[in-house]
Structure formats: C-alpha cells, structure tokens
Short mmCIF file of all heavy atoms in Angstrom, two decimals:
data_model
loop_
_atom_site.label_atom_id
_atom_site.label_comp_id
_atom_site.label_asym_id
_atom_site.label_seq_id
_atom_site.Cartn_x
_atom_site.Cartn_y
_atom_site.Cartn_z
N ARG V 1 -20.54 -0.78 -14.35
CA ARG V 1 -19.17 -0.46 -14.72
C ARG V 1 -19.21 0.68 -15.69
O ARG V 1 -19.91 0.60 -16.69
CB ARG V 1 -18.40 -1.67 -15.31
CG ARG V 1 -16.91 -1.33 -15.54
CD ARG V 1 -16.29 -2.33 -16.49
NE ARG V 1 -16.78 -2.19 -17.82
CZ ARG V 1 -16.37 -1.28 -18.69
NH1 ARG V 1 -15.44 -0.37 -18.35
NH2 ARG V 1 -16.87 -1.19 -19.91
N PHE V 2 -18.52 1.80 -15.41
CA PHE V 2 -18.55 2.97 -16.31
C PHE V 2 -17.24 3.10 -17.02
O PHE V 2 -16.14 2.81 -16.51
CB PHE V 2 -18.72 4.26 -15.44
CG PHE V 2 -19.93 4.16 -14.55
CD1 PHE V 2 -19.80 4.04 -13.16
CD2 PHE V 2 -21.21 4.25 -15.05
CE1 PHE V 2 -20.88 3.99 -12.34
CE2 PHE V 2 -22.32 4.17 -14.24
CZ PHE V 2 -22.15 4.03 -12.84
N ASP V 3 -17.35 3.48 -18.34
CA ASP V 3 -16.13 3.83 -19.04
C ASP V 3 -15.58 5.16 -18.56
O ASP V 3 -14.35 5.33 -18.50
CB ASP V 3 -16.42 3.87 -20.56
CG ASP V 3 -16.82 2.51 -21.10
OD1 ASP V 3 -16.01 1.55 -20.95
OD2 ASP V 3 -17.90 2.41 -21.69
N ILE V 4 -16.44 6.08 -18.26
CA ILE V 4 -16.04 7.41 -17.83
C ILE V 4 -17.04 7.99 -16.88
O ILE V 4 -18.23 7.80 -17.07
CB ILE V 4 -15.83 8.32 -19.07
CG1 ILE V 4 -15.16 9.69 -18.67
CG2 ILE V 4 -17.11 8.53 -19.83
CD1 ILE V 4 -14.67 10.48 -19.87
N ALA V 5 -16.60 8.64 -15.81
CA ALA V 5 -17.48 9.25 -14.82
C ALA V 5 -17.10 10.75 -14.70
O ALA V 5 -15.92 11.08 -14.54
CB ALA V 5 -17.28 8.58 -13.49
N PHE V 6 -18.12 11.57 -14.85
CA PHE V 6 -17.93 13.03 -14.68
C PHE V 6 -18.36 13.42 -13.28
O PHE V 6 -19.54 13.25 -12.96
CB PHE V 6 -18.68 13.78 -15.74
CG PHE V 6 -18.12 13.61 -17.13
CD1 PHE V 6 -18.77 12.77 -18.04
CD2 PHE V 6 -16.94 14.24 -17.50
CE1 PHE V 6 -18.27 12.58 -19.30
CE2 PHE V 6 -16.43 14.02 -18.75
CZ PHE V 6 -17.07 13.19 -19.69
N ILE V 7 -17.50 13.95 -12.48
CA ILE V 7 -17.72 14.27 -11.09
C ILE V 7 -17.66 15.77 -10.81
O ILE V 7 -16.69 16.43 -11.21
CB ILE V 7 -16.64 13.50 -10.26
CG1 ILE V 7 -16.59 12.02 -10.56
CG2 ILE V 7 -16.88 13.76 -8.76
CD1 ILE V 7 -17.87 11.28 -10.23
N GLY V 8 -18.64 16.23 -10.07
CA GLY V 8 -18.59 17.63 -9.58
C GLY V 8 -17.95 17.73 -8.28
O GLY V 8 -17.79 16.71 -7.52
N TYR V 9 -17.54 18.88 -7.89
CA TYR V 9 -16.86 19.11 -6.60
C TYR V 9 -17.00 20.58 -6.20
O TYR V 9 -17.49 21.39 -6.97
CB TYR V 9 -15.41 18.70 -6.74
CG TYR V 9 -14.62 19.59 -7.75
CD1 TYR V 9 -13.87 20.69 -7.31
CD2 TYR V 9 -14.68 19.31 -9.14
CE1 TYR V 9 -13.24 21.50 -8.18
CE2 TYR V 9 -14.03 20.11 -10.00
CZ TYR V 9 -13.27 21.19 -9.60
OH TYR V 9 -12.60 22.04 -10.46
N SER V 10 -16.53 20.89 -4.99
CA SER V 10 -16.65 22.25 -4.49
C SER V 10 -15.29 23.01 -4.44
O SER V 10 -15.28 24.23 -4.49
CB SER V 10 -17.26 22.27 -3.06
OG SER V 10 -18.61 21.84 -3.12
N GLY V 11 -14.18 22.25 -4.23
CA GLY V 11 -12.92 22.93 -4.17
C GLY V 11 -11.78 21.97 -3.95
O GLY V 11 -11.96 20.74 -4.13
N PHE V 12 -10.63 22.49 -3.51
CA PHE V 12 -9.45 21.70 -3.32
C PHE V 12 -8.74 22.06 -2.01
O PHE V 12 -8.78 23.19 -1.56
CB PHE V 12 -8.43 21.96 -4.45
CG PHE V 12 -8.92 21.57 -5.88
CD1 PHE V 12 -9.48 22.53 -6.66
CD2 PHE V 12 -8.84 20.27 -6.29
CE1 PHE V 12 -9.90 22.21 -7.91
CE2 PHE V 12 -9.27 19.94 -7.57
CZ PHE V 12 -9.83 20.88 -8.37
N GLU V 13 -8.02 21.07 -1.46
CA GLU V 13 -7.08 21.31 -0.44
C GLU V 13 -5.80 21.82 -1.12
O GLU V 13 -5.67 21.68 -2.33
CB GLU V 13 -6.82 20.09 0.39
CG GLU V 13 -7.98 19.67 1.26
CD GLU V 13 -8.09 20.48 2.55
OE1 GLU V 13 -8.36 21.65 2.44
OE2 GLU V 13 -7.95 19.92 3.63
N LYS V 14 -4.83 22.30 -0.38
CA LYS V 14 -3.60 22.80 -0.95
C LYS V 14 -2.81 21.74 -1.67
O LYS V 14 -2.06 22.00 -2.59
CB LYS V 14 -2.74 23.47 0.10
CG LYS V 14 -3.30 24.77 0.61
CD LYS V 14 -2.38 25.42 1.68
CE LYS V 14 -3.01 26.76 2.15
NZ LYS V 14 -2.08 27.37 3.19
N ASP V 15 -2.97 20.47 -1.21
CA ASP V 15 -2.22 19.34 -1.87
C ASP V 15 -2.99 18.80 -3.09
O ASP V 15 -2.55 17.76 -3.63
CB ASP V 15 -1.98 18.21 -0.86
CG ASP V 15 -3.27 17.60 -0.28
OD1 ASP V 15 -4.40 18.01 -0.69
OD2 ASP V 15 -3.13 16.65 0.49
N GLY V 16 -4.08 19.41 -3.46
CA GLY V 16 -4.81 18.97 -4.66
C GLY V 16 -5.94 18.01 -4.39
O GLY V 16 -6.64 17.55 -5.29
N THR V 17 -6.12 17.69 -3.11
CA THR V 17 -7.24 16.74 -2.72
C THR V 17 -8.56 17.40 -3.13
O THR V 17 -8.80 18.60 -2.83
CB THR V 17 -7.22 16.48 -1.25
OG1 THR V 17 -6.00 15.78 -0.90
CG2 THR V 17 -8.41 15.58 -0.83
N VAL V 18 -9.41 16.67 -3.77
CA VAL V 18 -10.74 17.14 -4.24
C VAL V 18 -11.72 17.10 -3.04
O VAL V 18 -11.85 16.10 -2.38
CB VAL V 18 -11.29 16.24 -5.41
CG1 VAL V 18 -12.58 16.87 -5.96
CG2 VAL V 18 -10.25 16.16 -6.51
N MET V 19 -12.41 18.24 -2.86
CA MET V 19 -13.25 18.39 -1.65
C MET V 19 -14.69 18.73 -2.03
O MET V 19 -14.98 19.30 -3.06
CB MET V 19 -12.65 19.51 -0.78
CG MET V 19 -11.26 19.29 -0.35
SD MET V 19 -11.00 17.90 0.83
CE MET V 19 -11.74 18.56 2.28
N ASP V 20 -15.58 18.41 -1.07
CA ASP V 20 -16.96 18.82 -1.22
C ASP V 20 -17.61 18.92 0.17
O ASP V 20 -16.89 18.79 1.20
CB ASP V 20 -17.75 17.80 -2.09
CG ASP V 20 -18.85 18.43 -2.92
OD1 ASP V 20 -19.67 19.18 -2.34
OD2 ASP V 20 -18.84 18.28 -4.13
N TYR V 21 -18.96 19.10 0.24
CA TYR V 21 -19.62 19.32 1.50
C TYR V 21 -20.51 18.18 1.98
O TYR V 21 -20.47 17.77 3.11
CB TYR V 21 -20.43 20.61 1.45
CG TYR V 21 -19.61 21.86 1.37
CD1 TYR V 21 -19.38 22.49 0.14
CD2 TYR V 21 -19.07 22.41 2.49
CE1 TYR V 21 -18.57 23.59 0.05
CE2 TYR V 21 -18.26 23.55 2.47
CZ TYR V 21 -18.02 24.14 1.22
OH TYR V 21 -17.23 25.26 1.11
N ASP V 22 -21.41 17.71 1.10
CA ASP V 22 -22.44 16.81 1.50
C ASP V 22 -21.94 15.35 1.50
O ASP V 22 -21.53 14.84 0.48
CB ASP V 22 -23.61 16.95 0.53
CG ASP V 22 -24.86 16.20 0.96
OD1 ASP V 22 -24.75 14.98 1.22
OD2 ASP V 22 -25.90 16.83 1.03
N LEU V 23 -21.92 14.77 2.70
CA LEU V 23 -21.28 13.41 2.80
C LEU V 23 -22.06 12.36 2.03
O LEU V 23 -21.44 11.44 1.49
CB LEU V 23 -21.23 13.04 4.30
CG LEU V 23 -20.37 13.92 5.19
CD1 LEU V 23 -20.42 13.40 6.66
CD2 LEU V 23 -18.95 13.99 4.67
N GLU V 24 -23.38 12.49 1.95
CA GLU V 24 -24.15 11.48 1.19
C GLU V 24 -23.82 11.60 -0.29
O GLU V 24 -23.74 10.58 -1.02
CB GLU V 24 -25.62 11.62 1.47
CG GLU V 24 -26.05 11.18 2.85
CD GLU V 24 -27.55 11.01 2.99
OE1 GLU V 24 -28.30 11.41 2.09
OE2 GLU V 24 -27.96 10.39 3.99
N LYS V 25 -23.67 12.82 -0.79
CA LYS V 25 -23.36 12.99 -2.21
C LYS V 25 -21.91 12.55 -2.52
O LYS V 25 -21.64 12.00 -3.56
CB LYS V 25 -23.58 14.42 -2.61
CG LYS V 25 -25.05 14.85 -2.56
CD LYS V 25 -25.19 16.34 -2.96
CE LYS V 25 -26.60 16.80 -2.77
NZ LYS V 25 -26.78 18.28 -3.09
N ILE V 26 -21.05 12.81 -1.54
CA ILE V 26 -19.66 12.37 -1.68
C ILE V 26 -19.63 10.83 -1.79
O ILE V 26 -18.84 10.27 -2.58
CB ILE V 26 -18.81 12.84 -0.51
CG1 ILE V 26 -18.57 14.35 -0.65
CG2 ILE V 26 -17.45 12.14 -0.47
CD1 ILE V 26 -17.87 15.00 0.55
N ALA V 27 -20.47 10.12 -1.01
CA ALA V 27 -20.49 8.65 -1.09
C ALA V 27 -20.87 8.21 -2.50
O ALA V 27 -20.32 7.21 -2.98
CB ALA V 27 -21.46 8.11 -0.03
N VAL V 28 -21.77 8.89 -3.11
CA VAL V 28 -22.18 8.54 -4.49
C VAL V 28 -21.01 8.78 -5.47
O VAL V 28 -20.76 8.00 -6.33
CB VAL V 28 -23.40 9.35 -4.93
CG1 VAL V 28 -23.75 9.05 -6.38
CG2 VAL V 28 -24.60 9.00 -4.04
N LYS V 29 -20.37 9.93 -5.31
CA LYS V 29 -19.22 10.26 -6.15
C LYS V 29 -18.14 9.18 -6.04
O LYS V 29 -17.58 8.70 -7.06
CB LYS V 29 -18.57 11.62 -5.76
CG LYS V 29 -19.52 12.81 -5.91
CD LYS V 29 -18.86 14.04 -5.29
CE LYS V 29 -19.84 15.21 -5.06
NZ LYS V 29 -20.29 15.80 -6.31
N GLN V 30 -17.82 8.82 -4.81
CA GLN V 30 -16.77 7.81 -4.62
C GLN V 30 -17.17 6.43 -5.14
O GLN V 30 -16.29 5.72 -5.72
CB GLN V 30 -16.46 7.74 -3.09
CG GLN V 30 -15.79 9.01 -2.56
CD GLN V 30 -15.64 8.99 -1.08
OE1 GLN V 30 -16.37 8.28 -0.33
NE2 GLN V 30 -14.70 9.80 -0.55
N ALA V 31 -18.43 6.07 -5.02
CA ALA V 31 -18.88 4.78 -5.56
C ALA V 31 -18.72 4.83 -7.11
O ALA V 31 -18.25 3.80 -7.68
CB ALA V 31 -20.32 4.56 -5.22
N ALA V 32 -19.08 5.92 -7.71
CA ALA V 32 -18.94 6.01 -9.20
C ALA V 32 -17.42 5.96 -9.62
O ALA V 32 -17.11 5.27 -10.57
CB ALA V 32 -19.57 7.29 -9.68
N MET V 33 -16.59 6.64 -8.88
CA MET V 33 -15.17 6.62 -9.24
C MET V 33 -14.54 5.15 -9.09
O MET V 33 -13.71 4.81 -9.92
CB MET V 33 -14.41 7.59 -8.36
CG MET V 33 -14.74 9.06 -8.69
SD MET V 33 -14.02 10.19 -7.50
CE MET V 33 -12.29 9.82 -7.73
N ARG V 34 -14.99 4.44 -8.08
CA ARG V 34 -14.50 3.11 -7.87
C ARG V 34 -14.90 2.16 -9.06
O ARG V 34 -14.20 1.25 -9.41
CB ARG V 34 -15.05 2.48 -6.65
CG ARG V 34 -14.40 3.06 -5.33
CD ARG V 34 -14.74 2.21 -4.17
NE ARG V 34 -16.16 2.23 -3.82
CZ ARG V 34 -16.74 3.11 -2.96
NH1 ARG V 34 -15.97 4.07 -2.40
NH2 ARG V 34 -17.98 3.09 -2.69
N ARG V 35 -16.01 2.52 -9.75
CA ARG V 35 -16.55 1.67 -10.80
C ARG V 35 -16.17 2.21 -12.22
O ARG V 35 -16.62 1.69 -13.22
CB ARG V 35 -18.07 1.56 -10.67
CG ARG V 35 -18.53 0.90 -9.39
CD ARG V 35 -18.08 -0.56 -9.36
NE ARG V 35 -18.79 -1.33 -10.41
CZ ARG V 35 -18.35 -2.52 -10.87
NH1 ARG V 35 -17.24 -3.04 -10.44
NH2 ARG V 35 -19.08 -3.12 -11.80
N ALA V 36 -15.39 3.29 -12.26
CA ALA V 36 -15.09 3.96 -13.51
C ALA V 36 -13.68 3.62 -14.06
O ALA V 36 -12.74 3.63 -13.26
CB ALA V 36 -15.31 5.42 -13.42
N GLU V 37 -13.59 3.40 -15.35
CA GLU V 37 -12.30 3.23 -15.93
C GLU V 37 -11.53 4.59 -15.91
O GLU V 37 -10.31 4.70 -15.64
CB GLU V 37 -12.47 2.77 -17.41
CG GLU V 37 -11.15 2.52 -18.14
CD GLU V 37 -10.37 1.32 -17.62
OE1 GLU V 37 -11.05 0.43 -17.06
OE2 GLU V 37 -9.16 1.27 -17.85
N THR V 38 -12.25 5.69 -16.17
CA THR V 38 -11.68 7.03 -16.20
C THR V 38 -12.59 7.95 -15.38
O THR V 38 -13.77 8.01 -15.60
CB THR V 38 -11.57 7.59 -17.62
OG1 THR V 38 -10.78 6.69 -18.38
CG2 THR V 38 -11.00 8.96 -17.67
N SER V 39 -11.99 8.62 -14.42
CA SER V 39 -12.71 9.61 -13.61
C SER V 39 -12.29 11.04 -13.96
O SER V 39 -11.11 11.34 -13.97
CB SER V 39 -12.49 9.40 -12.13
OG SER V 39 -12.97 8.16 -11.72
N VAL V 40 -13.26 11.92 -14.31
CA VAL V 40 -12.96 13.23 -14.74
C VAL V 40 -13.74 14.19 -13.88
O VAL V 40 -14.98 14.13 -13.70
CB VAL V 40 -13.45 13.44 -16.19
CG1 VAL V 40 -13.15 14.84 -16.70
CG2 VAL V 40 -12.80 12.43 -17.13
N ILE V 41 -13.04 15.14 -13.24
CA ILE V 41 -13.71 16.18 -12.47
C ILE V 41 -13.87 17.39 -13.34
O ILE V 41 -13.01 17.75 -14.16
CB ILE V 41 -12.95 16.54 -11.19
CG1 ILE V 41 -11.52 16.95 -11.43
CG2 ILE V 41 -12.99 15.39 -10.17
CD1 ILE V 41 -10.76 17.48 -10.18
N VAL V 42 -15.00 18.11 -13.16
CA VAL V 42 -15.31 19.23 -13.97
C VAL V 42 -15.69 20.41 -13.10
O VAL V 42 -16.48 20.30 -12.17
CB VAL V 42 -16.46 18.97 -15.01
CG1 VAL V 42 -16.00 17.99 -16.02
CG2 VAL V 42 -17.69 18.45 -14.29
N GLY V 43 -15.05 21.59 -13.36
CA GLY V 43 -15.37 22.79 -12.58
C GLY V 43 -14.65 23.95 -13.09
O GLY V 43 -13.57 23.88 -13.64
N ASP V 44 -15.26 25.14 -12.97
CA ASP V 44 -14.63 26.37 -13.41
C ASP V 44 -13.54 26.85 -12.46
O ASP V 44 -13.42 26.29 -11.37
CB ASP V 44 -15.66 27.46 -13.69
CG ASP V 44 -16.28 27.99 -12.44
OD1 ASP V 44 -15.64 28.72 -11.70
OD2 ASP V 44 -17.47 27.59 -12.18
N CYS V 45 -12.78 27.82 -12.91
CA CYS V 45 -11.58 28.25 -12.16
C CYS V 45 -11.87 28.87 -10.80
O CYS V 45 -10.95 28.96 -9.98
CB CYS V 45 -10.73 29.18 -13.02
SG CYS V 45 -11.56 30.74 -13.49
N SER V 46 -13.09 29.26 -10.52
CA SER V 46 -13.40 29.85 -9.25
C SER V 46 -13.23 28.84 -8.15
O SER V 46 -12.92 29.22 -6.98
CB SER V 46 -14.84 30.43 -9.20
OG SER V 46 -15.78 29.33 -9.27
#
C-alpha cells in the first residue's frame, strides 16, 4: 500500500486520458495506482 505513487507517461488523449505505449509497463503503473492513496503523474509540457 502506497501513500503516494509517481507515474510516468507518454501523452494524453484530447479528453485528458493518460496514455503510454508499453502494455507491460502500463500494467505496472495501473497496479501501483490501484494501491496508492494519491497518484501523481509527472511530465514536462512537451
């Protein structure tokens, strides 16, 4: 159980959905988010 999870990503859909490429890595991200009290995505404006 995590108090906070920092998640990387590749981009967004127009509706704000967070997107990435590698399905296995996405599975890890999603598992961490399910176990986190707070999920934080980090990425520069590009």
Side-chain angles (χ1 to χ4, degrees):
R1 187 194 69 80
F2 308 107
D3 294 303
I4 188 166
F6 292 104
I7 306 296
Y9 63 97
S10 292
F12 298 96
E13 291 282 65
K14 291 182 179 180
D15 64 358
T17 298
V18 184
M19 304 292 288
D20 213 306
Y21 290 99
D22 190 304
L23 297 181
E24 288 195 350
K25 294 178 187 177
I26 288 174
V28 176
K29 298 173 195 291
Q30 292 173 338
M33 291 173 60
R34 286 192 295 268
R35 297 294 295 161
E37 182 71 23
T38 300
S39 295
V40 180
I41 57 174
V42 292
D44 67 77
C45 62
S46 69

